[in-house]
Amino acid sequence: MREPDKVPPKSGMRGITLKRRKLFGIGAGLTVLPAWWALRQVADGAKRDWHTDTAPLERAFPLLGPLTDAKWVSSRDNDRGTPSPELVISGFVRLTPGKLAELTAAHAFVSGGPTDDFSSWFEKPLKGEGPENPQWIRSHELDRDGSGYSTNLWFDRRTGTVRFRALNPYG
């Protein structure tokens, strides 16, 4: 027997109302998710999308000597699920005072800057992070090519900053 105080739903109306509620809930969740992510990124302000440790760079570029003020990324950061045997590192690092003068005395340098502005997906955090109005020079002697790795180094005369991009920097 049916209870008298319960009214049977009108044909299909209850189902439509539940579907609308589910869609509204999903829409609200999709709206809140990006806001939550953005707030989390602001809260983690100290944690950047780049590395600041210089030890790996000193191993990759031993001729540059001790390094400071590093901002660099790796093609293996935030792995996108596509495994690659090749490692690319890219970024900026500052030389110790007097090191650029030492390098320019020992190697031939020419004027010339990078041709791209961090075009790879993993390099995006570095856009706008370099020195203002750089006066780039480079030495083809210091760029390494061969046996599975290559390096491109650009030096800013004013700040002693090095912009680098290296494929398989550890050989």
Side-chain angles (χ1 to χ4, degrees), residues 15-27:
I16 291 173
T17 303
L18 287 175
K19 287 179 184 175
R20 284 183 184 164
R21 287 182 186 165
K22 284 181 185 178
L23 285 174
F24 179 75
I26 290 170

Side-chain angles (χ1 to χ4, degrees), residues 7-81:
V7 179
K10 293 185 181 178
S11 61
M13 290 305 288
R14 184 173 185 200
I16 291 173
T17 303
L18 287 175
K19 287 179 184 175
R20 284 183 184 164
R21 287 182 186 165
K22 284 181 185 178
L23 285 174
F24 179 75
I26 290 170
L30 291 175
T31 302
V32 170
L33 186 61
W36 168 82
W37 182 83
L39 288 173
R40 189 170 150 225
Q41 295 301 316
V42 169
D44 291 343
K47 182 182 177 238
R48 299 286 185 181
D49 291 333
W50 55 69
H51 303 274
T52 58
D53 49 335
T54 59
L57 302 178
E58 290 171 355
R59 280 194 317 273
F61 314 122
L63 291 176
L64 301 183
L67 302 169
T68 63
D69 300 325
K71 288 182 183 177
W72 60 279
V73 293
S74 160
S75 61
R76 294 188 184 155
D77 292 342
N78 301 322
D79 189 3
R80 291 187 158 195

Side-chain angles (χ1 to χ4, degrees), residues 66 68 94-102 159-160:
T68 63
R94 189 162 304 183
L95 299 172
T96 56
K99 187 63 177 182
L100 184 54
E102 179 185 318
T159 64

Side-chain angles (χ1 to χ4, degrees), residues 76-157:
R76 294 188 184 155
D77 292 342
N78 301 322
D79 189 3
R80 291 187 158 195
T82 48
S84 172
E86 295 183 337
L87 168 67
V88 179
I89 59 173
S90 183
F92 298 100
V93 68
R94 189 162 304 183
L95 299 172
T96 56
K99 187 63 177 182
L100 184 54
E102 179 185 318
L103 289 170
T104 56
H107 303 280
F109 277 80
V110 295
S111 293
T115 57
D116 69 347
D117 189 25
F118 299 115
S119 58
S120 294
W121 64 268
F122 69 94
E123 295 175 310
K124 299 295 183 206
L126 296 172
K127 284 191 176 217
E129 290 299 321
E132 285 189 37
N133 303 315
Q135 297 175 5
W136 297 117
I137 57 174
R138 70 182 302 181
S139 170
H140 295 287
E141 295 173 35
L142 295 175
D143 289 349
R144 298 179 297 177
D145 293 309
S147 74
Y149 61 87
S150 67
T151 300
N152 293 301
L153 303 169
W154 297 273
F155 300 82
D156 179 28
R157 292 177 198 243

